[in-house]
Amino acid sequence: MGLNAGIISTGHSYPSGVLTNADLEKIVDTSDEWITSRTGIKQRRKAGSDEYTSQFAVKAARQALERAQIDASEVNLIVCATTSPDQILPSTGCLIQAELGANNAAAYDLFAACSGFLYGLTTVESMIRTGQIKYALVIGAEVLTKYVDYTDRSTCVIFGDGAGAALLAPVAADKGILATKIVSDGRFAEQLYSPGGGTRMGTTHETIDSGQHFFKMKGNELFKIAVRSMTSISQEILEKANYTTDDIKLFIPHQANQRITDAVAQKLGVNESVVYSNIEFHGNTSSASIPIALDECIQQGKIVEGDLILMASFGGGATWGATLVRF
Ligand code: COA
């Protein structure tokens, strides 16, 4: 019998700085009532001006390694899913590698917005299953608040900072990642994008003055696509693996909006009691949202050996994915 890729350990980290809805009321024309009822968010973590993405990624990764008692030198691959890298060059993955002392690893960044963590699991899974690598760190890490325009109330109330890491390794074939799928549709590119700062619109004083480097989002349109795509891809991989929602111990969706989570859970027929939500405390941490939630669940004892977990994501691109894991 062959091997599967399993998540053998996790960790997470976030800034100590907290930005509450009351804080935002003082910055933009919004209210705690609006944010809570439309998104479920009460607070989000916000990095200080001297904090950056790889710092949180390294803390999360160290935690995962320590919990598995695996030395950084044993790691073969580091995939850092991020939309808010420390800098364009080198990759945040390489910066994490150096900081961890993971000198035998290849490292790179993966750009799939809020779906980045599941994209990472999906790409790493086959490398472990086919024996190319043994230990891989898949990290979702973001300091999105530095890409957010705090005069734009439709985006600034949503995003938060943090990082989550998963250590993957070969496990028995009836465990680990049982099914996983990722999908993109670039026709939705301009529903969530940051136009400035790349080769298409290079950075100039004008692009900075007009805020072209900030995230711009058509949230209302994305909402419907998110519900539709997360539901259908979840159904697809459950079917592929011959399971139903009744078999799931926990459903961990990307924490984009509590109303999206509720709608997806309702369409999937997943009982509210098995849906994990932490959006109230973290907001939307993009690629970090699922690994932070996953680690919280494991640390709180919500996931034990043998449990079947479904994760589903949706993000800018548009990108979406779903992964079914037996712990
Ligand atoms: N405070 C108060 N009012 C706000 C507001 C805020 N922070 N943000 C928007 N509004 C206003 C709008 O201006 C609009 O006012 P109008 O009716 O006078 O024009 C009204 O609220 C409704 O705006 P709308 O954009 O339709 O709200 P919504 O219910 O769709 O909620 C989001 C907005 C962004 C919370 C929601 O659309 C969402 O979560 N979308 C999905 C995001 C997503 O999945 N992104 C990809 C993955 S990260």
Side-chain angles (χ1 to χ4, degrees), residues 46-64:
K46 188 171 185 296
S49 57
D50 57 344
E51 292 180 304
Y52 43 90
T53 305
S54 66
Q55 293 175 320
F56 303 107
V58 166
K59 279 188 195 152
R62 275 212 183 104
Q63 226 174 44

Side-chain angles (χ1 to χ4, degrees), residues 30 34 38-39 114 153 157-158 219-220 257 259-260 284 314:
T30 190
W34 192 97
R38 297 290 183 115
T39 71
C114 306
R153 66 180 181 174
V157 302
I158 292 166
N220 204 313
N257 184 318
R259 291 187 297 132
I260 293 179
N284 178 345
F314 178 82

Side-chain angles (χ1 to χ4, degrees), residues 16-28:
S16 55
V18 177
L19 187 68
T20 64
N21 291 351
D23 296 329
L24 282 163
E25 281 177 351
K26 294 179 202 136
I27 303 171
V28 281

